[in-house]
Amino acid sequence: MTKIGVFVGSLRKDSWNRKVANELVSLLPEGYETEFFEIGNLPLYNEDWDQSGSVPEVVQDFRKAVAGVDAFIWTTPEYNRGVPGVLKNAIDVASKPMQDAVFAGKPSLIASASTGSMGGFGSNHHLRQTLVFVNSPVVAQPEIYLSFIDKAYDESGKMKAGTRDFLAKGIEAFTKLIGHYQA
């Protein structure tokens, strides 16, 4: 069983990015299980924790959980052309100390969603750059930018077929990438 960790970069109750994450998870084939990481309760990263050996328990638990998965799905809105601070903080908290390399060699799929026309292009690439640094191979194609995400759902709240089909292509590429790294 391959375990996928899911990061949602929005804390908003009715987050479009959480809805997208749920759609992506629903498209995973059999043999995959998921764990959504709640990142809103993490303290801001402080290097003193690791230097003094006084890492808060919530941080220790989070790091263990992240280390225990095989790959990652990331969904992010765009705040001021970058990833939300809460998402960047989660990466910083989990990735330290660097020698533990909890993201290294573990594939990632990024999807960004926005009610605007650019679909979170800036945040998607900002996140991609950070994941490259922590050595997480990222699905290159398809790049998933979902513009006008509020229009991607029908009146009943179900994602429209065209958008869902596009996400399915992303999941297909993601599972192939995972297979490559697990071989």
Side-chain angles (χ1 to χ4, degrees), residues 14-25:
D14 292 322
S15 164
W16 292 111
N17 281 276
R18 184 164 299 275
K19 291 176 184 180
V20 170
N22 287 328
E23 292 288 343
L24 287 165
V25 165

Side-chain angles (χ1 to χ4, degrees), residues 17 75-85 87-88 91 110-114 116-131 143-147:
N17 281 276
T75 62
T76 183
E78 181 170 300
Y79 294 170
N80 300 314
R81 293 289 186 254
V83 297
L87 185 56
K88 179 63 167 73
I91 295 168
I110 301 171
S112 54
S114 165
S117 63
M118 293 184 64
F121 176 86
S123 62
N124 191 302
H125 281 266
H126 183 210
L127 180 55
R128 197 173 288 270
Q129 179 182 13
T130 301
L131 293 175
E143 293 178 310
I144 303 174
Y145 317 110
L146 301 172
S147 301

Side-chain angles (χ1 to χ4, degrees), residues 17-139:
N17 281 276
R18 184 164 299 275
K19 291 176 184 180
V20 170
N22 287 328
E23 292 288 343
L24 287 165
V25 165
S26 76
L27 292 165
L28 286 165
E30 287 196 30
Y32 292 86
E33 66 176 283
T34 58
E35 177 178 355
F36 277 75
F37 296 122
E38 296 305 325
I39 60 177
N41 64 338
L42 292 172
L44 294 175
Y45 176 68
N46 185 334
E47 193 174 2
D48 287 344
W49 303 333
D50 297 313
Q51 291 181 355
S52 68
S54 60
V55 180
E57 188 174 345
V58 66
V59 170
Q60 292 176 43
D61 293 344
F62 180 68
R63 287 175 175 174
K64 285 178 193 170
V66 172
V69 302
D70 303 301
F72 305 96
I73 290 174
W74 306 81
T75 62
T76 183
E78 181 170 300
Y79 294 170
N80 300 314
R81 293 289 186 254
V83 297
V86 68
L87 185 56
K88 179 63 167 73
N89 183 59
I91 295 168
D92 293 343
V93 167
S95 66
K96 304 294 183 179
M98 288 297 289
Q99 66 268 19
D100 291 350
V102 297
F103 294 110
K106 296 179 181 181
S108 285
L109 174 67
I110 301 171
S112 54
S114 165
T115 56
S117 63
M118 293 184 64
F121 176 86
S123 62
N124 191 302
H125 281 266
H126 183 210
L127 180 55
R128 197 173 288 270
Q129 179 182 13
T130 301
L131 293 175
V132 165
F133 180 77
V134 296
N135 203 22
S136 175
V138 179
V139 170

